[in-house]
Coordinates of all heavy atoms in Angstrom, one line a residue:
G1 N -6.9 40.1 -42.2 CA -6.7 39.3 -41.2 C -7.2 40.0 -39.9 O -7.0 41.2 -39.7
S2 N -7.7 39.2 -39.1 CA -8.2 39.7 -37.7 C -7.2 39.3 -36.7 O -6.7 38.1 -36.7 CB -9.6 39.0 -37.4 OG -9.8 39.3 -36.1
D3 N -6.9 40.2 -35.9 CA -5.8 39.9 -34.7 C -6.5 39.5 -33.5 O -5.8 39.3 -32.4 CB -5.0 41.1 -34.5 CG -4.0 41.2 -35.7 OD1 -3.7 40.3 -36.4 OD2 -3.5 42.4 -35.8
R4 N -7.8 39.4 -33.3 CA -8.5 39.2 -32.0 C -8.5 37.8 -31.8 O -8.5 36.9 -32.7 CB -9.8 39.8 -32.0 CG -10.9 39.1 -32.8 CD -12.2 39.8 -32.7 NE -13.1 39.1 -33.6 CZ -14.4 38.8 -33.5 NH1 -14.9 39.2 -32.3 NH2 -15.1 38.1 -34.2
I5 N -8.4 37.4 -30.5 CA -8.5 36.0 -30.1 C -9.9 35.6 -29.8 O -10.6 36.2 -29.1 CB -7.6 35.8 -28.9 CG1 -6.1 36.3 -29.0 CG2 -7.7 34.3 -28.3 CD1 -5.3 36.2 -27.9
V6 N -10.2 34.4 -30.4 CA -11.6 33.8 -30.3 C -11.5 32.7 -29.2 O -10.7 31.9 -29.3 CB -12.1 33.2 -31.6 CG1 -13.5 32.7 -31.4 CG2 -12.1 34.3 -32.7
T7 N -12.3 32.9 -28.1 CA -12.3 31.9 -27.0 C -13.6 31.1 -27.3 O -14.6 31.6 -27.6 CB -12.3 32.5 -25.6 OG1 -13.5 33.4 -25.6 CG2 -11.1 33.3 -25.4
P8 N -13.5 29.8 -27.1 CA -14.6 28.9 -27.2 C -15.7 29.3 -26.1 O -15.4 29.8 -25.0 CB -14.1 27.5 -26.9 CG -12.7 27.6 -27.0 CD -12.2 29.0 -26.7
R9 N -17.0 29.0 -26.4 CA -18.0 29.3 -25.4 C -18.0 28.3 -24.2 O -18.4 28.7 -23.1 CB -19.4 29.2 -26.1 CG -19.6 30.2 -27.2 CD -21.0 30.2 -27.7 NE -21.9 31.0 -26.9 CZ -23.2 30.9 -26.8 NH1 -23.8 30.0 -27.4 NH2 -23.8 31.8 -26.0
V10 N -17.4 27.1 -24.4 CA -17.4 26.2 -23.3 C -16.5 26.6 -22.2 O -16.8 26.5 -21.0 CB -16.9 24.9 -23.9 CG1 -16.8 23.8 -22.8 CG2 -17.8 24.3 -25.0
L11 N -15.4 27.4 -22.5 CA -14.5 27.8 -21.5 C -14.9 29.1 -20.8 O -14.4 29.5 -19.8 CB -13.1 27.9 -22.0 CG -12.5 26.6 -22.5 CD1 -11.1 26.9 -23.2 CD2 -12.4 25.6 -21.4
S12 N -15.9 29.8 -21.4 CA -16.3 31.0 -20.9 C -17.1 30.8 -19.6 O -17.9 29.9 -19.5 CB -17.1 31.8 -21.9 OG -18.3 31.2 -22.2
I13 N -16.8 31.7 -18.6 CA -17.5 31.6 -17.4 C -18.8 32.4 -17.4 O -18.7 33.6 -17.3 CB -16.6 31.9 -16.2 CG1 -15.4 31.1 -16.1 CG2 -17.3 31.9 -14.9 CD1 -14.4 31.6 -15.2
S14 N -19.9 31.8 -17.6 CA -21.1 32.5 -17.7 C -21.9 32.2 -16.5 O -21.7 31.3 -15.8 CB -21.9 32.0 -19.0 OG -22.3 30.8 -18.9
P15 N -22.9 33.1 -16.1 CA -23.7 32.8 -15.0 C -24.5 31.4 -15.0 O -24.6 30.8 -14.1 CB -24.8 33.9 -15.0 CG -24.1 35.0 -15.8 CD -23.3 34.4 -16.8
R16 N -24.8 30.9 -16.3 CA -25.5 29.7 -16.5 C -24.5 28.5 -16.1 O -25.0 27.6 -15.3 CB -25.9 29.5 -17.9 CG -26.5 28.2 -18.2 CD -27.2 28.1 -19.5 NE -27.7 26.8 -19.8 CZ -27.3 26.2 -20.8 NH1 -26.5 26.6 -21.7 NH2 -27.8 24.9 -20.9
N17 N -23.3 28.6 -16.5 CA -22.2 27.6 -16.2 C -21.9 27.6 -14.6 O -21.8 26.5 -14.1 CB -20.9 27.7 -16.9 CG -21.2 27.3 -18.3 OD1 -22.1 26.7 -18.8 ND2 -20.2 27.7 -19.2
N18 N -21.9 28.8 -14.0 CA -21.6 29.0 -12.7 C -22.7 28.3 -11.8 O -22.5 27.6 -10.9 CB -21.4 30.5 -12.4 CG -20.9 30.6 -11.0 OD1 -20.4 29.7 -10.3 ND2 -20.9 31.9 -10.5
K19 N -24.0 28.6 -12.2 CA -25.1 28.0 -11.5 C -25.1 26.5 -11.6 O -25.4 25.9 -10.5 CB -26.4 28.6 -12.1 CG -27.6 28.2 -11.3 CD -28.9 28.9 -11.8 CE -30.0 28.7 -11.1 NZ -31.3 29.2 -11.5
M20 N -24.9 25.9 -12.7 CA -24.8 24.5 -12.9 C -23.8 23.8 -12.1 O -23.9 22.8 -11.5 CB -24.7 24.1 -14.4 CG -25.9 24.4 -15.3 SD -25.6 23.9 -16.9 CE -25.6 22.3 -16.8
M21 N -22.6 24.5 -11.9 CA -21.4 24.0 -11.1 C -21.9 24.0 -9.7 O -21.5 23.1 -8.9 CB -20.2 24.8 -11.3 CG -19.5 24.6 -12.7 SD -19.1 22.8 -12.9 CE -17.8 22.6 -11.8
R22 N -22.5 25.1 -9.2 CA -23.0 25.1 -7.9 C -24.0 24.0 -7.5 O -24.0 23.4 -6.5 CB -23.6 26.5 -7.6 CG -22.5 27.6 -7.5 CD -23.2 28.8 -7.1 NE -22.2 29.9 -7.2 CZ -22.0 30.8 -6.3 NH1 -22.8 30.8 -5.2 NH2 -21.1 31.7 -6.4
I23 N -24.9 23.7 -8.6 CA -25.9 22.7 -8.3 C -25.2 21.3 -8.2 O -25.5 20.5 -7.4 CB -26.9 22.7 -9.4 CG1 -27.9 23.9 -9.3 CG2 -27.8 21.4 -9.5 CD1 -28.8 24.2 -10.5
L24 N -24.2 21.1 -9.1 CA -23.4 19.8 -9.1 C -22.6 19.7 -7.8 O -22.7 18.6 -7.2 CB -22.5 19.8 -10.3 CG -21.6 18.6 -10.4 CD1 -22.5 17.3 -10.7 CD2 -20.7 18.7 -11.6
L25 N -22.0 20.7 -7.2 CA -21.4 20.7 -6.0 C -22.3 20.4 -4.8 O -22.0 19.6 -3.9 CB -20.7 22.1 -5.8 CG -19.8 22.2 -4.5 CD1 -18.7 21.1 -4.5 CD2 -19.4 23.6 -4.3
L26 N -23.5 21.0 -4.9 CA -24.5 20.7 -3.9 C -24.9 19.2 -3.9 O -25.1 18.6 -2.8 CB -25.7 21.7 -4.1 CG -26.9 21.4 -3.1 CD1 -26.5 21.9 -1.7 CD2 -28.0 22.1 -3.5
L27 N -25.2 18.7 -5.1 CA -25.5 17.4 -5.2 C -24.5 16.4 -4.7 O -24.7 15.4 -4.1 CB -26.0 16.9 -6.6 CG -27.3 17.6 -7.1 CD1 -27.4 17.3 -8.7 CD2 -28.4 17.1 -6.4
C28 N -23.3 16.7 -5.0 CA -22.2 15.7 -4.6 C -22.0 15.9 -3.1 O -21.7 14.9 -2.5 CB -20.8 16.2 -5.3 SG -20.8 15.8 -7.0
S29 N -22.1 17.1 -2.6 CA -22.0 17.2 -1.1 C -23.2 16.5 -0.3 O -22.9 15.8 0.7 CB -22.0 18.6 -0.7 OG -21.0 19.4 -1.4
A30 N -24.3 16.6 -1.0 CA -25.4 15.8 -0.3 C -25.2 14.3 -0.4 O -25.5 13.6 0.6 CB -26.8 16.2 -1.0
A31 N -24.7 13.8 -1.6 CA -24.5 12.4 -1.5 C -23.4 11.9 -0.6 O -23.5 10.8 0.0 CB -24.0 12.0 -3.1
I32 N -22.4 12.8 -0.4 CA -21.4 12.3 0.5 C -21.9 12.4 2.0 O -21.6 11.5 2.8 CB -20.1 13.3 0.4 CG1 -19.4 13.0 -0.9 CG2 -19.1 13.1 1.6 CD1 -18.4 14.0 -1.3
A33 N -22.7 13.4 2.3 CA -23.2 13.5 3.6 C -24.3 12.3 3.9 O -24.2 11.7 5.0 CB -24.0 14.8 3.8
L34 N -25.0 11.9 2.9 CA -26.0 10.8 3.1 C -25.2 9.4 3.2 O -25.7 8.6 3.9 CB -27.0 10.8 2.0 CG -28.0 11.9 2.0 CD1 -28.8 12.0 0.8 CD2 -28.8 12.0 3.3
A35 N -24.1 9.4 2.6 CA -23.3 8.1 2.6 C -22.6 7.9 3.9 O -22.3 6.8 4.2 CB -22.3 8.0 1.4
Q36 N -22.4 8.9 4.7 CA -21.8 8.9 6.0 C -22.6 7.9 6.9 O -22.0 7.2 7.8 CB -21.7 10.1 6.7 CG -20.6 11.0 6.0 CD -19.2 10.5 6.0 OE1 -18.9 9.9 7.0 NE2 -18.5 10.7 5.0
E37 N -23.9 7.8 6.7 CA -24.8 7.0 7.5 C -24.5 5.4 7.2 O -24.6 4.7 8.1 CB -26.3 7.1 7.2 CG -26.8 8.4 7.5 CD -28.2 8.5 7.1 OE1 -28.9 7.6 6.9 OE2 -28.7 9.7 6.9
L38 N -24.0 5.2 6.1 CA -23.7 3.8 5.7 C -22.4 3.2 6.2 O -22.1 2.0 6.3 CB -23.8 3.6 4.2 CG -25.1 4.0 3.6 CD1 -25.0 3.8 2.0 CD2 -26.2 3.1 4.1
R39 N -21.5 4.1 6.5 CA -20.2 3.7 7.0 C -20.3 2.8 8.3 O -20.9 3.3 9.3 CB -19.3 4.9 7.3 CG -17.9 4.6 7.8 CD -17.1 5.7 7.9 NE -16.8 6.3 6.5 CZ -16.0 7.3 6.3 NH1 -15.6 8.0 7.3 NH2 -15.8 7.7 5.1
G40 N -19.8 1.8 8.3 CA -19.7 0.8 9.5 C -20.9 0.0 9.6 O -21.0 -0.8 10.5
A41 N -21.9 0.0 8.7 CA -23.2 -0.7 8.7 C -22.8 -2.2 8.6 O -23.3 -3.2 9.3 CB -24.1 -0.3 7.7
A42 N -21.8 -2.5 7.7 CA -21.4 -4.0 7.5 C -20.8 -4.6 8.6 O -20.9 -5.7 9.0 CB -20.6 -4.1 6.2
E43 N -20.0 -3.8 9.3 CA -19.2 -4.2 10.6 C -20.2 -4.7 11.6 O -20.0 -5.7 12.3 CB -18.4 -3.1 11.1 CG -17.2 -2.8 10.2 CD -16.5 -1.5 10.4 OE1 -16.8 -1.0 11.5 OE2 -15.6 -1.1 9.7
G44 N -21.3 -4.0 11.8 CA -22.4 -4.3 12.8 C -22.9 -5.7 12.4 O -23.1 -6.5 13.3
V45 N -23.2 -6.1 11.1 CA -23.8 -7.2 10.7 C -22.7 -8.4 10.9 O -23.2 -9.4 11.5 CB -24.1 -7.2 9.1 CG1 -24.6 -8.5 8.8 CG2 -25.3 -6.1 9.0
V46 N -21.6 -8.1 10.7 CA -20.5 -9.2 10.9 C -20.3 -9.4 12.4 O -20.2 -10.7 12.8 CB -19.2 -8.7 10.3 CG1 -18.0 -9.7 10.7 CG2 -19.3 -8.7 8.8
A47 N -20.5 -8.4 13.3 CA -20.3 -8.6 14.6 C -21.5 -9.4 15.3 O -21.3 -10.3 16.1 CB -20.3 -7.2 15.3
V48 N -22.6 -9.2 14.7 CA -23.9 -10.0 15.1 C -23.7 -11.4 14.7 O -24.1 -12.4 15.4 CB -25.2 -9.3 14.5 CG1 -26.3 -10.3 14.8 CG2 -25.4 -8.1 15.2
A49 N -23.2 -11.8 13.4 CA -23.1 -13.1 13.0 C -22.0 -13.7 13.9 O -22.1 -14.9 14.1 CB -22.6 -13.0 11.6
A50 N -20.9 -13.0 14.1 CA -19.9 -13.7 15.0 C -20.4 -14.0 16.4 O -19.9 -15.0 16.9 CB -18.7 -12.7 15.1
A51 N -21.2 -13.2 17.0 CA -21.8 -13.4 18.3 C -22.8 -14.6 18.2 O -22.8 -15.3 19.3 CB -22.6 -12.2 18.7
E52 N -23.5 -14.8 17.1 CA -24.3 -15.9 17.0 C -23.7 -17.2 16.9 O -24.1 -18.3 17.4 CB -25.3 -15.8 15.9 CG -26.3 -14.7 16.1 CD -27.2 -14.5 14.8 OE1 -27.1 -15.2 13.8 OE2 -28.0 -13.6 14.7
F53 N -22.5 -17.3 16.2 CA -21.8 -18.5 16.0 C -20.3 -18.3 16.4 O -19.5 -18.3 15.5 CB -21.9 -19.0 14.6 CG -23.3 -19.1 14.0 CD1 -23.9 -18.2 13.3 CD2 -24.0 -20.3 14.5 CE1 -25.2 -18.4 12.9 CE2 -25.3 -20.5 14.0 CZ -26.0 -19.5 13.2
P54 N -20.1 -18.2 17.6 CA -18.6 -18.1 18.1 C -17.8 -19.4 17.8 O -18.3 -20.4 18.1 CB -18.8 -17.7 19.5 CG -20.0 -18.4 19.9 CD -20.9 -18.4 18.8
M55 N -16.6 -19.2 17.3 CA -15.8 -20.2 17.0 C -15.0 -20.6 18.4 O -14.2 -19.7 18.8 CB -14.8 -20.0 15.9 CG -13.9 -21.1 15.4 SD -13.0 -20.6 14.0 CE -13.3 -21.9 12.9
K56 N -15.2 -21.8 18.9 CA -14.6 -22.1 20.1 C -13.1 -22.5 20.0 O -12.2 -22.2 20.7 CB -15.3 -23.2 20.8 CG -16.8 -22.9 21.0 CD -16.9 -21.9 22.2 CE -18.4 -21.6 22.5 NZ -18.7 -20.5 23.2
E57 N -12.9 -23.2 18.8 CA -11.6 -23.8 18.6 C -11.3 -23.8 17.2 O -12.1 -24.1 16.3 CB -11.6 -25.3 19.2 CG -10.5 -26.1 18.9 CD -10.7 -27.5 19.6 OE1 -11.2 -27.6 20.7 OE2 -10.4 -28.5 18.9
V58 N -10.1 -23.5 16.8 CA -9.6 -23.4 15.5 C -9.1 -24.8 15.1 O -8.2 -25.3 15.6 CB -8.5 -22.4 15.3 CG1 -8.1 -22.4 13.8 CG2 -8.9 -21.0 15.6
P59 N -9.8 -25.4 14.1 CA -9.4 -26.8 13.7 C -7.9 -26.8 13.0 O -7.7 -26.0 12.0 CB -10.4 -27.2 12.7 CG -11.0 -26.0 12.2 CD -10.9 -25.0 13.2
T60 N -7.1 -27.5 13.4 CA -5.7 -27.7 12.8 C -5.4 -29.1 12.4 O -5.7 -30.0 13.3 CB -4.6 -27.1 13.7 OG1 -4.6 -27.8 14.9 CG2 -4.8 -25.6 13.9
D61 N -4.9 -29.3 11.3 CA -4.5 -30.6 10.9 C -3.1 -30.6 10.2 O -3.1 -30.4 9.1 CB -5.5 -31.3 10.0 CG -5.3 -32.8 9.7 OD1 -4.3 -33.4 10.3 OD2 -5.8 -33.3 8.8
P62 N -2.1 -30.8 11.0 CA -0.7 -30.5 10.4 C -0.4 -31.6 9.3 O 0.5 -31.4 8.5 CB 0.2 -30.7 11.5 CG -0.5 -31.4 12.6 CD -1.9 -31.1 12.3
T63 N -1.1 -32.8 9.3 CA -0.8 -33.9 8.2 C -1.7 -33.7 7.1 O -1.7 -34.6 6.2 CB -1.1 -35.2 8.9 OG1 -2.4 -35.3 9.3 CG2 -0.1 -35.3 10.2
S64 N -2.4 -32.6 6.9 CA -3.3 -32.5 5.8 C -2.4 -32.3 4.5 O -1.5 -31.5 4.5 CB -4.2 -31.2 6.0 OG -4.9 -30.9 4.8
G65 N -2.9 -33.1 3.5 CA -2.1 -33.0 2.1 C -2.9 -32.1 1.2 O -2.5 -32.1 0.1
L66 N -3.8 -31.3 1.7 CA -4.5 -30.5 0.8 C -3.8 -29.4 0.0 O -3.8 -29.2 -1.1 CB -5.7 -29.8 1.5 CG -6.6 -28.9 0.8 CD1 -7.4 -29.8 -0.2 CD2 -7.6 -28.2 1.7
A67 N -2.8 -28.8 0.7 CA -1.8 -27.8 0.0 C -1.1 -28.5 -1.0 O -0.8 -28.0 -2.1 CB -1.0 -27.2 1.1
I68 N -0.5 -29.8 -0.8 CA 0.3 -30.4 -1.7 C -0.5 -30.8 -2.9 O -0.1 -30.7 -4.1 CB 1.1 -31.6 -1.0 CG1 2.1 -31.0 0.0 CG2 1.8 -32.5 -2.1 CD1 2.7 -32.0 0.8
A69 N -1.7 -31.3 -2.5 CA -2.6 -31.7 -3.7 C -3.0 -30.6 -4.5 O -3.1 -30.7 -5.9 CB -3.9 -32.4 -3.1
S70 N -3.2 -29.4 -4.0 CA -3.7 -28.2 -4.8 C -2.5 -27.8 -5.7 O -2.6 -27.4 -6.8 CB -4.2 -27.1 -3.9 OG -3.2 -26.7 -3.1
L71 N -1.4 -27.8 -5.1 CA -0.1 -27.5 -5.9 C 0.0 -28.5 -7.0 O 0.5 -28.0 -8.1 CB 1.2 -27.4 -4.9 CG 2.5 -26.9 -5.5 CD1 2.3 -25.5 -6.2 CD2 3.6 -27.0 -4.6
A72 N -0.1 -29.7 -6.8 CA 0.1 -30.8 -7.8 C -1.0 -30.6 -8.9 O -0.7 -30.7 -10.1 CB -0.1 -32.2 -7.2
C73 N -2.2 -30.3 -8.6 CA -3.2 -30.0 -9.6 C -3.0 -28.7 -10.4 O -3.3 -28.7 -11.6 CB -4.6 -29.9 -8.9 SG -5.2 -31.4 -8.3
A74 N -2.4 -27.8 -9.7 CA -2.0 -26.5 -10.4 C -1.0 -26.7 -11.5 O -0.9 -26.1 -12.5 CB -1.6 -25.4 -9.5
I75 N -0.2 -27.8 -11.2 CA 0.9 -28.1 -12.3 C 0.4 -29.0 -13.3 O 0.7 -29.0 -14.5 CB 2.2 -28.7 -11.6 CG1 2.8 -27.5 -10.7 CG2 3.2 -29.2 -12.5 CD1 3.8 -28.1 -9.7
V76 N -0.4 -30.1 -12.8 CA -0.9 -31.1 -13.7 C -2.0 -30.7 -14.7 O -2.0 -31.1 -15.9 CB -1.2 -32.3 -12.9 CG1 -1.9 -33.4 -13.7 CG2 -0.1 -32.9 -12.2
A77 N -2.9 -29.9 -14.2 CA -4.2 -29.5 -14.9 C -3.7 -28.8 -16.2 O -4.4 -29.2 -17.3 CB -5.0 -28.6 -14.1
P78 N -2.9 -27.8 -16.3 CA -2.6 -27.1 -17.6 C -1.9 -28.1 -18.5 O -2.2 -28.0 -19.8 CB -1.6 -26.0 -17.3 CG -1.8 -25.8 -15.8 CD -2.2 -27.0 -15.2
I79 N -1.0 -29.1 -18.1 CA -0.4 -30.0 -18.9 C -1.4 -31.0 -19.5 O -1.3 -31.1 -20.7 CB 0.6 -30.8 -18.1 CG1 1.8 -29.8 -17.7 CG2 1.2 -31.9 -19.0 CD1 2.8 -30.3 -16.8
V80 N -2.3 -31.4 -18.7 CA -3.4 -32.4 -19.3 C -4.3 -31.6 -20.2 O -4.7 -32.1 -21.2 CB -4.2 -32.9 -18.1 CG1 -5.4 -33.8 -18.5 CG2 -3.3 -33.8 -17.2
G81 N -4.6 -30.3 -19.9 CA -5.5 -29.5 -20.8 C -4.8 -29.3 -22.2 O -5.5 -29.5 -23.2
I82 N -3.6 -29.1 -22.2 CA -2.9 -28.9 -23.5 C -2.8 -30.2 -24.2 O -3.0 -30.3 -25.5 CB -1.5 -28.3 -23.2 CG1 -1.6 -26.9 -22.8 CG2 -0.6 -28.3 -24.4 CD1 -0.3 -26.2 -22.3
G83 N -2.6 -31.2 -23.5 CA -2.6 -32.6 -24.2 C -3.9 -32.9 -24.8 O -4.0 -33.5 -26.0
I84 N -5.0 -32.7 -24.1 CA -6.3 -32.9 -24.6 C -6.6 -32.1 -25.8 O -7.1 -32.6 -26.8 CB -7.3 -32.8 -23.6 CG1 -7.3 -33.8 -22.5 CG2 -8.8 -32.7 -24.1 CD1 -8.2 -33.6 -21.2
M85 N -6.2 -30.8 -25.7 CA -6.5 -29.9 -26.9 C -5.7 -30.2 -28.1 O -6.1 -30.2 -29.2 CB -6.0 -28.5 -26.5 CG -7.1 -27.7 -25.6 SD -6.9 -26.0 -25.5 CE -5.3 -25.9 -24.8
L86 N -4.4 -30.7 -27.9 CA -3.6 -31.2 -29.1 C -4.2 -32.6 -29.7 O -4.2 -32.7 -30.9 CB -2.1 -31.4 -28.7 CG -1.4 -30.1 -28.3 CD1 0.1 -30.4 -27.8 CD2 -1.3 -29.3 -29.6
Y87 N -4.7 -33.4 -28.8 CA -5.3 -34.6 -29.3 C -6.5 -34.3 -30.0 O -6.8 -34.9 -31.1 CB -5.6 -35.6 -28.1 CG -6.4 -36.8 -28.5 CD1 -5.6 -37.9 -29.1 CD2 -7.7 -36.9 -28.2 CE1 -6.4 -39.0 -29.5 CE2 -8.3 -37.9 -28.6 CZ -7.8 -39.1 -29.2 OH -8.4 -40.2 -29.6
L88 N -7.3 -33.5 -29.5 CA -8.7 -33.1 -30.2 C -8.4 -32.3 -31.5 O -9.3 -32.2 -32.3 CB -9.6 -32.6 -29.2 CG -10.1 -33.6 -28.2 CD1 -11.0 -32.7 -27.2 CD2 -10.9 -34.7 -28.7
K89 N -7.3 -31.6 -31.6 CA -7.1 -30.7 -32.6 C -6.9 -31.7 -33.9 O -7.4 -31.1 -35.0 CB -5.7 -30.0 -32.5 CG -5.4 -29.0 -33.6 CD -4.2 -28.2 -33.2 CE -3.8 -27.3 -34.3 NZ -2.7 -26.6 -34.2
E90 N -6.5 -32.8 -33.8 CA -6.3 -33.7 -35.0 C -7.7 -34.1 -35.5 O -7.9 -34.5 -36.6 CB -5.5 -34.9 -34.6 CG -4.1 -34.6 -34.3 CD -3.3 -35.8 -33.7 OE1 -3.9 -36.9 -33.7 OE2 -2.2 -35.6 -33.2
K91 N -8.7 -34.1 -34.6 CA -10.1 -34.5 -35.0 C -10.8 -33.4 -35.8 O -12.0 -33.7 -36.1 CB -10.9 -34.9 -33.7 CG -10.3 -35.8 -32.8 CD -10.3 -37.2 -33.5 CE -9.8 -38.2 -32.5 NZ -9.1 -39.4 -33.0
G92 N -10.3 -32.3 -35.9 CA -11.0 -31.2 -36.6 C -12.1 -30.6 -36.0 O -12.1 -30.4 -34.8
W93 N -13.2 -30.4 -36.7 CA -14.4 -29.7 -36.2 C -15.0 -30.6 -35.0 O -15.5 -30.1 -34.1 CB -15.5 -29.6 -37.2 CG -16.7 -28.8 -36.8 CD1 -16.8 -27.5 -36.7 CD2 -17.8 -29.4 -36.3 NE1 -17.9 -27.2 -36.3 CE2 -18.8 -28.3 -36.0 CE3 -18.3 -30.6 -36.0 CZ2 -20.0 -28.4 -35.4 CZ3 -19.6 -30.7 -35.5 CH2 -20.4 -29.6 -35.2
W94 N -15.1 -31.9 -35.1 CA -15.5 -32.7 -34.0 C -14.8 -32.8 -32.8 O -15.3 -32.9 -31.7 CB -15.6 -34.2 -34.5 CG -16.8 -34.4 -35.5 CD1 -16.7 -34.5 -36.9 CD2 -18.2 -34.5 -35.1 NE1 -18.1 -34.7 -37.4 CE2 -18.9 -34.6 -36.3 CE3 -18.9 -34.3 -33.9 CZ2 -20.3 -34.6 -36.3 CZ3 -20.3 -34.5 -33.9 CH2 -21.0 -34.6 -35.2
G95 N -13.4 -32.5 -33.0 CA -12.6 -32.4 -31.7 C -13.1 -31.2 -30.9 O -13.1 -31.2 -29.7
A96 N -13.3 -30.0 -31.6 CA -13.8 -28.8 -30.9 C -15.1 -29.1 -30.2 O -15.3 -28.6 -29.1 CB -13.8 -27.7 -31.8
C97 N -16.0 -29.8 -31.0 CA -17.3 -30.1 -30.5 C -17.2 -31.0 -29.2 O -17.8 -30.6 -28.2 CB -18.1 -30.8 -31.5 SG -19.9 -31.1 -31.0
W98 N -16.4 -32.0 -29.1 CA -16.2 -32.8 -28.1 C -15.5 -32.1 -26.9 O -15.9 -32.4 -25.8 CB -15.4 -34.0 -28.4 CG -16.2 -35.2 -29.2 CD1 -15.9 -35.5 -30.5 CD2 -17.1 -35.9 -28.6 NE1 -16.9 -36.5 -30.8 CE2 -17.6 -36.8 -29.7 CE3 -17.8 -36.1 -27.4 CZ2 -18.6 -37.7 -29.5 CZ3 -18.8 -37.0 -27.3 CH2 -19.2 -37.8 -28.2
L99 N -14.6 -31.3 -27.2 CA -14.0 -30.4 -26.1 C -14.9 -29.7 -25.3 O -15.0 -29.6 -24.2 CB -12.8 -29.7 -26.7 CG -12.0 -28.8 -25.7 CD1 -11.3 -29.6 -24.6 CD2 -11.0 -27.9 -26.4
I100 N -15.8 -28.8 -26.1 CA -16.8 -28.0 -25.6 C -17.7 -28.8 -24.8 O -18.2 -28.4 -23.7 CB -17.4 -27.1 -26.6 CG1 -16.3 -26.1 -27.1 CG2 -18.6 -26.2 -26.1 CD1 -16.7 -25.2 -28.3
S101 N -18.2 -29.8 -25.4 CA -19.2 -30.7 -24.8 C -18.7 -31.3 -23.5 O -19.4 -31.3 -22.5 CB -19.6 -31.9 -25.7 OG -20.2 -31.3 -26.9
G102 N -17.4 -31.7 -23.5 CA -16.8 -32.2 -22.3 C -16.7 -31.2 -21.1 O -16.8 -31.5 -20.0
L103 N -16.4 -29.9 -21.6 CA -16.3 -28.8 -20.5 C -17.6 -28.5 -19.9 O -17.7 -28.2 -18.7 CB -15.7 -27.6 -21.2 CG -14.3 -27.8 -21.5 CD1 -13.7 -26.4 -22.3 CD2 -13.4 -27.9 -20.1
I104 N -18.8 -28.6 -20.8 CA -20.0 -28.3 -20.2 C -20.5 -29.4 -19.3 O -21.2 -29.1 -18.3 CB -21.0 -28.1 -21.5 CG1 -20.7 -26.8 -22.1 CG2 -22.5 -28.0 -20.9 CD1 -21.5 -26.6 -23.5
A105 N -20.2 -30.6 -19.7 CA -20.7 -31.7 -18.9 C -19.8 -31.8 -17.7 O -20.1 -32.0 -16.6 CB -20.6 -33.1 -19.8

């Protein structure tokens, strides 16, 4: 039996691994430094768009039923969908065909 400890080559710190790590660190640092130019670029575009089309007045309609309609649709749509699936399930293969065709159309 041998009492010496064998270390994998991957974990050994060789000059080749050290050089590759330095190159990787240099590339990452360069990428971060070059990305600093892009910071805030989108904010300038948004500011220009806002200057071209300023909103003078915010439209408000307190009697709008859009929120109530969307809530009702969120409740009704799944119930109707399940009902249609159960109805078409009885039709077998043609039911699946009609369901997919209806969704596409």
